[in-house]
Amino acid sequence: MPIVEGPGEVEAASLLLRRMLERNHSWNIRIQRPINAHGIGNIIKLNGLGRFLKVAEKRDACHAVLILLDAEGSCAREVAGRLATRARNHSPHLPIAVVAAKCHYENWLLGSTETLAGKSGLKDSLEIISDPESVPDSKRWLTDHMEKGKAYKETFDQAPLSKAIDIDLVCQRARSFRRLEQALEQLICSIKSGTPLISP
């Protein structure tokens, strides 16, 4: 059960996670519709994460929770670590992983510009970005590289672009995306073994 920041990630994250599971041949793992936290502030505020974990636990067949958010310039590891501590105190019996994208979710998309060219209004030719996590404003970058008159919109563009990325390329170029891959593997192992896990 994913918990995400906003409406764009509700569709995009579930699509991306299904692709990653299929890539790893985890056909029997079902991704439920993510819980929309309506902003990172609602997750990090006092008792905020606990409230969303309660909602997740009430959903049918919730065997694990993945909390996915943007670090937005903060240290991704520290952000994830703080939330993992709260999760451990609230739901120690449930496998939970926290993943913070360095900067934004869109920085992961920039790790595969070769496959995004010509999609969702983007120009037919895009530069290759070897270090997508170094781009300070990935949403602005996407808008700046769209055809004239178009602008990047999370709720419209995040999901189709998530469908278009080459996951192997993004893994090579974005450390926090590799962390997402690791977190998925940890949750799968935890579900199969029946051993609770809070990661990191």
Side-chain angles (χ1 to χ4, degrees):
M1 168 70 67
I3 298 173
V4 298
E5 279 190 43
E9 287 92 357
V10 169
E11 300 298 334
S14 55
L15 188 156
L16 176 61
L17 294 172
R18 283 195 298 270
R19 289 190 62 204
M20 296 178 77
L21 290 173
E22 290 169 4
R23 175 173 171 267
N24 292 332
H25 308 292
S26 299
W27 313 108
N28 60 330
I29 303 294
R30 178 173 169 259
I31 300 294
Q32 296 194 45
R33 185 171 178 81
I35 296 169
N36 180 3
H38 299 284
I40 189 172
N42 290 324
I43 297 175
I44 64 176
K45 71 181 182 181
L46 186 64
N47 299 322
L49 178 59
R51 182 165 62 88
F52 292 117
L53 288 174
K54 273 185 183 177
V55 173
E57 290 180 49
K58 288 179 181 178
R59 297 273 185 96
D60 290 337
C62 176
H63 301 298
V65 173
L66 173 66
I67 302 160
L68 183 60
L69 64 157
D70 297 336
E72 297 185 3
S74 300
C75 174
R77 181 178 293 182
E78 290 180 4
V79 170
R82 286 195 297 269
L83 288 175
T85 298
R86 293 189 191 180
R88 190 173 291 110
N89 293 333
H90 187 276
S91 304
H93 58 285
L94 185 68
I96 300 172
V98 185
V99 177
K102 187 176 180 181
C103 294
H104 295 96
Y105 181 102
E106 285 79 5
N107 287 80
W108 290 344
L109 302 179
L110 298 191
S112 183
T113 51
E114 299 99 309
T115 63
L116 300 188
K119 307 277 196 320
S120 293
L122 286 166
K123 295 176 181 177
D124 291 332
S125 179
L126 299 174
E127 64 182 287
I128 293 174
I129 303 176
S130 59
D131 183 8
E133 292 179 318
S134 68
V135 178
D137 191 341
S138 51
K139 297 176 185 180
R140 169 55 59 185
W141 191 98
L142 288 166
T143 290
D144 289 345
H145 290 79
M146 286 188 162
E147 298 293 347
K148 188 175 180 180
K150 294 186 177 292
Y152 172 76
K153 294 182 180 178
E154 293 176 45
T155 50
F156 291 103
D157 301 317
Q158 213 171 37
L161 291 179
S162 295
K163 184 177 181 180
I165 62 169
D166 182 317
I167 291 174
D168 289 325
L169 283 179
V170 184
C171 278
Q172 292 170 24
R173 295 169 179 170
R175 182 177 180 180
S176 62
F177 191 83
R178 292 195 294 274
R179 161 63 189 150
L180 173 61
E181 185 176 51
Q182 177 198 46
L184 273 180
E185 291 172 357
Q186 290 175 328
L187 290 176
I188 291 169
C189 288
S190 181
I191 292 169
K192 289 180 177 178
S193 67
T195 305
L197 162 92
I198 307 291
S199 176

Short mmCIF file of all heavy atoms in Angstrom, two decimals, residues 3-4 7 27 30 42 46-47 50 52 55 57 66 68 76 83 85 90 96 119 121 135 139 178 183-184:
data_model
loop_
_atom_site.label_atom_id
_atom_site.label_comp_id
_atom_site.label_asym_id
_atom_site.label_seq_id
_atom_site.Cartn_x
_atom_site.Cartn_y
_atom_site.Cartn_z
N ILE A 3 1.79 5.22 0.22
CA ILE A 3 1.33 6.51 0.70
C ILE A 3 2.14 7.56 -0.04
O ILE A 3 3.38 7.53 0.00
CB ILE A 3 1.51 6.66 2.23
CG1 ILE A 3 0.69 5.60 2.98
CG2 ILE A 3 1.10 8.07 2.68
CD1 ILE A 3 0.94 5.58 4.48
N VAL A 4 1.47 8.46 -0.75
CA VAL A 4 2.18 9.43 -1.60
C VAL A 4 1.76 10.85 -1.25
O VAL A 4 0.77 11.08 -0.56
CB VAL A 4 1.92 9.15 -3.10
CG1 VAL A 4 2.42 7.77 -3.49
CG2 VAL A 4 0.42 9.27 -3.44
N PRO A 7 -1.83 14.16 -5.83
CA PRO A 7 -2.67 13.47 -6.82
C PRO A 7 -1.90 12.93 -8.02
O PRO A 7 -2.26 11.89 -8.57
CB PRO A 7 -3.67 14.55 -7.25
CG PRO A 7 -2.99 15.85 -6.94
CD PRO A 7 -2.18 15.59 -5.71
N TRP A 27 5.11 -11.30 -9.87
CA TRP A 27 3.79 -11.23 -10.47
C TRP A 27 2.68 -11.31 -9.43
O TRP A 27 1.55 -10.87 -9.67
CB TRP A 27 3.61 -12.36 -11.47
CG TRP A 27 4.75 -12.53 -12.41
CD1 TRP A 27 5.67 -13.54 -12.42
CD2 TRP A 27 5.13 -11.67 -13.49
NE1 TRP A 27 6.59 -13.36 -13.43
CE2 TRP A 27 6.28 -12.22 -14.10
CE3 TRP A 27 4.62 -10.46 -13.99
CZ2 TRP A 27 6.92 -11.62 -15.18
CZ3 TRP A 27 5.26 -9.86 -15.07
CH2 TRP A 27 6.39 -10.45 -15.66
N ARG A 30 0.38 -7.38 -5.43
CA ARG A 30 -0.61 -6.43 -5.96
C ARG A 30 -0.41 -5.06 -5.34
O ARG A 30 -0.30 -4.93 -4.12
CB ARG A 30 -2.02 -6.95 -5.65
CG ARG A 30 -3.14 -6.02 -6.11
CD ARG A 30 -4.49 -6.69 -5.93
NE ARG A 30 -5.56 -5.73 -6.12
CZ ARG A 30 -6.23 -5.15 -5.13
NH1 ARG A 30 -5.92 -5.42 -3.88
NH2 ARG A 30 -7.21 -4.30 -5.38
N ASN A 42 1.37 17.11 5.60
CA ASN A 42 0.42 16.26 6.31
C ASN A 42 1.06 14.94 6.77
O ASN A 42 0.53 14.28 7.67
CB ASN A 42 -0.79 15.95 5.42
CG ASN A 42 -1.66 17.17 5.21
OD1 ASN A 42 -1.82 17.99 6.12
ND2 ASN A 42 -2.21 17.32 4.02
N LEU A 46 3.04 16.36 13.40
CA LEU A 46 2.83 15.50 14.55
C LEU A 46 1.58 14.63 14.34
O LEU A 46 0.51 15.14 14.03
CB LEU A 46 2.66 16.35 15.82
CG LEU A 46 2.57 15.59 17.14
CD1 LEU A 46 3.86 14.84 17.42
CD2 LEU A 46 2.26 16.56 18.28
N ASN A 47 1.75 13.34 14.49
CA ASN A 47 0.68 12.34 14.35
C ASN A 47 0.17 12.19 12.92
O ASN A 47 -0.76 11.42 12.67
CB ASN A 47 -0.51 12.65 15.27
CG ASN A 47 -0.12 12.65 16.74
OD1 ASN A 47 0.69 11.83 17.16
ND2 ASN A 47 -0.69 13.58 17.50
N GLY A 50 1.09 8.66 11.48
CA GLY A 50 0.29 7.66 12.18
C GLY A 50 -1.13 7.57 11.65
O GLY A 50 -1.70 6.49 11.53
N PHE A 52 -2.14 8.23 8.59
CA PHE A 52 -2.16 7.56 7.28
C PHE A 52 -1.87 6.07 7.41
O PHE A 52 -2.42 5.26 6.66
CB PHE A 52 -1.16 8.23 6.34
CG PHE A 52 -1.56 9.62 5.93
CD1 PHE A 52 -0.78 10.70 6.28
CD2 PHE A 52 -2.73 9.84 5.22
CE1 PHE A 52 -1.14 11.99 5.92
CE2 PHE A 52 -3.12 11.13 4.86
CZ PHE A 52 -2.32 12.20 5.21
N VAL A 55 -5.10 4.42 8.28
CA VAL A 55 -5.95 4.26 7.08
C VAL A 55 -5.48 3.07 6.27
O VAL A 55 -6.28 2.25 5.80
CB VAL A 55 -5.92 5.55 6.23
CG1 VAL A 55 -6.64 5.33 4.90
CG2 VAL A 55 -6.53 6.71 6.98
N GLU A 57 -3.79 0.40 7.24
CA GLU A 57 -4.02 -0.87 7.93
C GLU A 57 -5.48 -1.31 7.85
O GLU A 57 -5.77 -2.50 7.94
CB GLU A 57 -3.59 -0.76 9.39
CG GLU A 57 -2.07 -0.66 9.56
CD GLU A 57 -1.66 -0.54 11.02
OE1 GLU A 57 -2.15 -1.34 11.83
OE2 GLU A 57 -0.85 0.35 11.34
N LEU A 66 4.50 1.33 1.63
CA LEU A 66 5.63 2.08 1.08
C LEU A 66 5.28 3.55 1.12
O LEU A 66 4.30 3.98 0.51
CB LEU A 66 5.91 1.65 -0.37
CG LEU A 66 6.97 2.47 -1.11
CD1 LEU A 66 8.35 2.28 -0.49
CD2 LEU A 66 6.99 2.11 -2.59
N LEU A 68 6.25 7.14 0.01
CA LEU A 68 7.05 7.74 -1.05
C LEU A 68 6.85 9.26 -1.05
O LEU A 68 5.72 9.73 -1.16
CB LEU A 68 6.62 7.16 -2.41
CG LEU A 68 7.38 7.60 -3.65
CD1 LEU A 68 8.86 7.24 -3.55
CD2 LEU A 68 6.77 6.95 -4.89
N ALA A 76 17.83 13.17 1.72
CA ALA A 76 16.82 12.13 1.53
C ALA A 76 16.92 11.05 2.60
O ALA A 76 15.90 10.58 3.12
CB ALA A 76 16.96 11.51 0.14
N LEU A 83 11.08 9.53 9.45
CA LEU A 83 9.74 8.97 9.28
C LEU A 83 9.72 7.47 9.62
O LEU A 83 8.72 6.96 10.14
CB LEU A 83 9.24 9.20 7.86
CG LEU A 83 8.88 10.65 7.53
CD1 LEU A 83 8.51 10.79 6.07
CD2 LEU A 83 7.74 11.15 8.41
N THR A 85 11.44 6.06 11.94
CA THR A 85 11.37 5.99 13.40
C THR A 85 9.93 6.14 13.88
O THR A 85 9.47 5.41 14.77
CB THR A 85 12.26 7.07 14.04
OG1 THR A 85 13.62 6.85 13.64
CG2 THR A 85 12.16 7.05 15.55
N HIS A 90 4.73 3.48 15.68
CA HIS A 90 3.28 3.37 15.47
C HIS A 90 2.84 1.98 15.04
O HIS A 90 1.84 1.45 15.53
CB HIS A 90 2.82 4.39 14.42
CG HIS A 90 1.33 4.45 14.27
ND1 HIS A 90 0.63 3.58 13.47
CD2 HIS A 90 0.41 5.26 14.86
CE1 HIS A 90 -0.66 3.86 13.54
NE2 HIS A 90 -0.82 4.87 14.37
N ILE A 96 7.17 -1.83 6.60
CA ILE A 96 7.07 -0.45 6.12
C ILE A 96 8.42 0.00 5.59
O ILE A 96 9.45 -0.23 6.23
CB ILE A 96 6.62 0.51 7.24
CG1 ILE A 96 5.25 0.11 7.79
CG2 ILE A 96 6.57 1.95 6.73
CD1 ILE A 96 4.83 0.89 9.03
N LYS A 119 7.17 12.54 -25.96
CA LYS A 119 6.05 12.08 -25.14
C LYS A 119 5.48 13.24 -24.32
O LYS A 119 6.21 14.11 -23.86
CB LYS A 119 6.50 10.98 -24.18
CG LYS A 119 7.23 9.82 -24.83
CD LYS A 119 6.28 8.81 -25.41
CE LYS A 119 6.91 7.47 -25.72
NZ LYS A 119 8.24 7.46 -26.30
N GLY A 121 4.03 15.98 -24.81
CA GLY A 121 4.34 17.35 -25.20
C GLY A 121 5.80 17.72 -25.16
O GLY A 121 6.17 18.86 -25.49
N VAL A 135 19.66 18.23 -10.94
CA VAL A 135 18.81 19.26 -11.54
C VAL A 135 17.96 19.88 -10.43
O VAL A 135 17.15 19.18 -9.82
CB VAL A 135 17.92 18.67 -12.65
CG1 VAL A 135 17.00 19.74 -13.23
CG2 VAL A 135 18.78 18.04 -13.74
N LYS A 139 10.73 20.04 -12.43
CA LYS A 139 9.44 20.37 -13.04
C LYS A 139 9.60 21.51 -14.03
O LYS A 139 9.01 21.50 -15.12
CB LYS A 139 8.42 20.73 -11.96
CG LYS A 139 8.13 19.57 -11.01
CD LYS A 139 7.18 19.98 -9.88
CE LYS A 139 7.00 18.84 -8.89
NZ LYS A 139 6.10 19.17 -7.78
N ARG A 178 17.54 3.92 -6.90
CA ARG A 178 18.05 2.61 -6.51
C ARG A 178 17.57 2.24 -5.10
O ARG A 178 17.33 1.07 -4.80
CB ARG A 178 19.58 2.58 -6.57
CG ARG A 178 20.13 2.69 -7.98
CD ARG A 178 21.59 2.30 -8.06
NE ARG A 178 22.47 3.21 -7.35
CZ ARG A 178 22.97 4.34 -7.87
NH1 ARG A 178 22.65 4.70 -9.10
NH2 ARG A 178 23.79 5.10 -7.16
N ALA A 183 14.06 -0.89 -1.52
CA ALA A 183 12.94 -0.90 -0.58
C ALA A 183 11.86 -1.90 -1.02
O ALA A 183 11.29 -2.63 -0.19
CB ALA A 183 12.34 0.50 -0.45
N LEU A 184 11.58 -1.93 -2.32
CA LEU A 184 10.60 -2.89 -2.83
C LEU A 184 11.05 -4.32 -2.55
O LEU A 184 10.25 -5.17 -2.13
CB LEU A 184 10.41 -2.69 -4.34
CG LEU A 184 9.37 -1.66 -4.79
CD1 LEU A 184 9.32 -1.61 -6.31
CD2 LEU A 184 8.00 -1.98 -4.23
#
